[in-house]
mmCIF file with all atom_site columns, all heavy atoms in Angstrom:
data_model
loop_
_atom_site.group_PDB
_atom_site.id
_atom_site.type_symbol
_atom_site.label_atom_id
_atom_site.label_alt_id
_atom_site.label_comp_id
_atom_site.label_asym_id
_atom_site.label_entity_id
_atom_site.label_seq_id
_atom_site.pdbx_PDB_ins_code
_atom_site.Cartn_x
_atom_site.Cartn_y
_atom_site.Cartn_z
_atom_site.occupancy
_atom_site.B_iso_or_equiv
_atom_site.pdbx_formal_charge
_atom_site.auth_seq_id
_atom_site.auth_comp_id
_atom_site.auth_asym_id
_atom_site.auth_atom_id
_atom_site.pdbx_PDB_model_num
ATOM 1  N N   . GLN M 1 1   ? -42.842 -25.990 78.482 1.00 91.00 ? 131 GLN M N   1
ATOM 2  C CA  . GLN M 1 1   ? -41.412 -26.163 78.532 1.00 91.00 ? 131 GLN M CA  1
ATOM 3  C C   . GLN M 1 1   ? -40.782 -25.462 77.391 1.00 91.00 ? 131 GLN M C   1
ATOM 4  O O   . GLN M 1 1   ? -41.230 -25.408 76.282 1.00 91.00 ? 131 GLN M O   1
ATOM 5  C CB  . GLN M 1 1   ? -41.082 -27.649 78.459 1.00 91.00 ? 131 GLN M CB  1
ATOM 6  C CG  . GLN M 1 1   ? -41.509 -28.457 79.680 1.00 91.00 ? 131 GLN M CG  1
ATOM 7  C CD  . GLN M 1 1   ? -40.511 -28.195 80.834 1.00 91.00 ? 131 GLN M CD  1
ATOM 8  O OE1 . GLN M 1 1   ? -39.352 -27.859 80.604 1.00 91.00 ? 131 GLN M OE1 1
ATOM 9  N NE2 . GLN M 1 1   ? -40.987 -28.398 82.048 1.00 91.00 ? 131 GLN M NE2 1
ATOM 10 N N   . ASN M 1 27  ? -42.682 -24.586 73.938 1.00 92.00 ? 157 ASN M N   1
ATOM 11 C CA  . ASN M 1 27  ? -43.944 -23.863 74.137 1.00 92.00 ? 157 ASN M CA  1
ATOM 12 C C   . ASN M 1 27  ? -43.649 -22.449 74.640 1.00 92.00 ? 157 ASN M C   1
ATOM 13 O O   . ASN M 1 27  ? -43.813 -22.077 75.824 1.00 92.00 ? 157 ASN M O   1
ATOM 14 C CB  . ASN M 1 27  ? -44.734 -24.629 75.235 1.00 92.00 ? 157 ASN M CB  1
ATOM 15 C CG  . ASN M 1 27  ? -46.165 -24.102 75.364 1.00 92.00 ? 157 ASN M CG  1
ATOM 16 O OD1 . ASN M 1 27  ? -46.655 -23.429 74.503 1.00 92.00 ? 157 ASN M OD1 1
ATOM 17 N ND2 . ASN M 1 27  ? -46.803 -24.389 76.466 1.00 92.00 ? 157 ASN M ND2 1
ATOM 18 N N   . ARG M 1 71  ? -30.153 -9.742  70.267 1.00 96.00 ? 201 ARG M N   1
ATOM 19 C CA  . ARG M 1 71  ? -31.192 -10.692 70.173 1.00 96.00 ? 201 ARG M CA  1
ATOM 20 C C   . ARG M 1 71  ? -31.920 -10.535 68.851 1.00 96.00 ? 201 ARG M C   1
ATOM 21 O O   . ARG M 1 71  ? -32.099 -9.408  68.324 1.00 96.00 ? 201 ARG M O   1
ATOM 22 C CB  . ARG M 1 71  ? -32.228 -10.482 71.304 1.00 96.00 ? 201 ARG M CB  1
ATOM 23 C CG  . ARG M 1 71  ? -31.819 -11.034 72.646 1.00 96.00 ? 201 ARG M CG  1
ATOM 24 C CD  . ARG M 1 71  ? -32.779 -10.617 73.668 1.00 96.00 ? 201 ARG M CD  1
ATOM 25 N NE  . ARG M 1 71  ? -34.129 -11.236 73.517 1.00 96.00 ? 201 ARG M NE  1
ATOM 26 C CZ  . ARG M 1 71  ? -35.194 -10.874 74.213 1.00 96.00 ? 201 ARG M CZ  1
ATOM 27 N NH1 . ARG M 1 71  ? -35.127 -9.910  75.120 1.00 96.00 ? 201 ARG M NH1 1
ATOM 28 N NH2 . ARG M 1 71  ? -36.331 -11.537 74.032 1.00 96.00 ? 201 ARG M NH2 1
ATOM 29 N N   . VAL M 1 73  ? -35.405 -11.261 68.021 1.00 92.00 ? 203 VAL M N   1
ATOM 30 C CA  . VAL M 1 73  ? -36.689 -11.615 68.677 1.00 92.00 ? 203 VAL M CA  1
ATOM 31 C C   . VAL M 1 73  ? -37.540 -12.490 67.821 1.00 92.00 ? 203 VAL M C   1
ATOM 32 O O   . VAL M 1 73  ? -38.187 -13.404 68.309 1.00 92.00 ? 203 VAL M O   1
ATOM 33 C CB  . VAL M 1 73  ? -37.400 -10.334 69.131 1.00 92.00 ? 203 VAL M CB  1
ATOM 34 C CG1 . VAL M 1 73  ? -38.786 -10.688 69.743 1.00 92.00 ? 203 VAL M CG1 1
ATOM 35 C CG2 . VAL M 1 73  ? -36.604 -9.558  70.123 1.00 92.00 ? 203 VAL M CG2 1
ATOM 36 N N   . GLY M 1 88  ? -8.816  -15.636 80.863 1.00 96.00 ? 218 GLY M N   1
ATOM 37 C CA  . GLY M 1 88  ? -9.779  -15.560 81.925 1.00 96.00 ? 218 GLY M CA  1
ATOM 38 C C   . GLY M 1 88  ? -11.212 -15.700 81.446 1.00 96.00 ? 218 GLY M C   1
ATOM 39 O O   . GLY M 1 88  ? -12.075 -15.874 82.391 1.00 96.00 ? 218 GLY M O   1
ATOM 40 N N   . TYR M 1 104 ? -49.920 -15.802 80.526 1.00 89.00 ? 234 TYR M N   1
ATOM 41 C CA  . TYR M 1 104 ? -49.525 -14.831 81.558 1.00 89.00 ? 234 TYR M CA  1
ATOM 42 C C   . TYR M 1 104 ? -49.381 -15.524 82.934 1.00 89.00 ? 234 TYR M C   1
ATOM 43 O O   . TYR M 1 104 ? -49.781 -15.021 83.941 1.00 89.00 ? 234 TYR M O   1
ATOM 44 C CB  . TYR M 1 104 ? -50.451 -13.652 81.644 1.00 89.00 ? 234 TYR M CB  1
ATOM 45 C CG  . TYR M 1 104 ? -50.422 -12.880 80.308 1.00 89.00 ? 234 TYR M CG  1
ATOM 46 C CD1 . TYR M 1 104 ? -51.464 -13.070 79.413 1.00 89.00 ? 234 TYR M CD1 1
ATOM 47 C CD2 . TYR M 1 104 ? -49.388 -11.956 80.058 1.00 89.00 ? 234 TYR M CD2 1
ATOM 48 C CE1 . TYR M 1 104 ? -51.412 -12.395 78.175 1.00 89.00 ? 234 TYR M CE1 1
ATOM 49 C CE2 . TYR M 1 104 ? -49.378 -11.304 78.787 1.00 89.00 ? 234 TYR M CE2 1
ATOM 50 C CZ  . TYR M 1 104 ? -50.421 -11.548 77.904 1.00 89.00 ? 234 TYR M CZ  1
ATOM 51 O OH  . TYR M 1 104 ? -50.409 -10.848 76.701 1.00 89.00 ? 234 TYR M OH  1
ATOM 52 N N   . GLY M 1 105 ? -48.721 -16.643 82.876 1.00 88.00 ? 235 GLY M N   1
ATOM 53 C CA  . GLY M 1 105 ? -48.443 -17.383 84.079 1.00 88.00 ? 235 GLY M CA  1
ATOM 54 C C   . GLY M 1 105 ? -47.168 -16.825 84.763 1.00 88.00 ? 235 GLY M C   1
ATOM 55 O O   . GLY M 1 105 ? -46.724 -15.700 84.447 1.00 88.00 ? 235 GLY M O   1
ATOM 56 N N   . ARG M 1 108 ? -40.421 -17.913 84.722 1.00 94.00 ? 238 ARG M N   1
ATOM 57 C CA  . ARG M 1 108 ? -39.571 -19.143 84.972 1.00 94.00 ? 238 ARG M CA  1
ATOM 58 C C   . ARG M 1 108 ? -38.285 -19.040 84.201 1.00 94.00 ? 238 ARG M C   1
ATOM 59 O O   . ARG M 1 108 ? -38.216 -18.588 83.082 1.00 94.00 ? 238 ARG M O   1
ATOM 60 C CB  . ARG M 1 108 ? -40.356 -20.398 84.490 1.00 94.00 ? 238 ARG M CB  1
ATOM 61 C CG  . ARG M 1 108 ? -39.570 -21.696 84.780 1.00 94.00 ? 238 ARG M CG  1
ATOM 62 C CD  . ARG M 1 108 ? -40.377 -22.909 84.409 1.00 94.00 ? 238 ARG M CD  1
ATOM 63 N NE  . ARG M 1 108 ? -39.584 -24.124 84.459 1.00 94.00 ? 238 ARG M NE  1
ATOM 64 C CZ  . ARG M 1 108 ? -40.064 -25.326 84.148 1.00 94.00 ? 238 ARG M CZ  1
ATOM 65 N NH1 . ARG M 1 108 ? -41.257 -25.512 83.790 1.00 94.00 ? 238 ARG M NH1 1
ATOM 66 N NH2 . ARG M 1 108 ? -39.237 -26.360 84.228 1.00 94.00 ? 238 ARG M NH2 1
ATOM 67 N N   . SER M 1 120 ? -6.741  -20.108 74.886 1.00 96.00 ? 250 SER M N   1
ATOM 68 C CA  . SER M 1 120 ? -5.318  -20.563 75.250 1.00 96.00 ? 250 SER M CA  1
ATOM 69 C C   . SER M 1 120 ? -4.387  -20.457 74.001 1.00 96.00 ? 250 SER M C   1
ATOM 70 O O   . SER M 1 120 ? -4.823  -20.663 72.887 1.00 96.00 ? 250 SER M O   1
ATOM 71 C CB  . SER M 1 120 ? -5.407  -21.962 75.714 1.00 96.00 ? 250 SER M CB  1
ATOM 72 O OG  . SER M 1 120 ? -4.091  -22.507 76.010 1.00 96.00 ? 250 SER M OG  1
#
Side-chain angles (χ1 to χ4, degrees):
Q131 289 284 335
N157 191 18
R201 284 173 67 189
V203 176
Y234 298 99
R238 180 177 173 181
S250 176

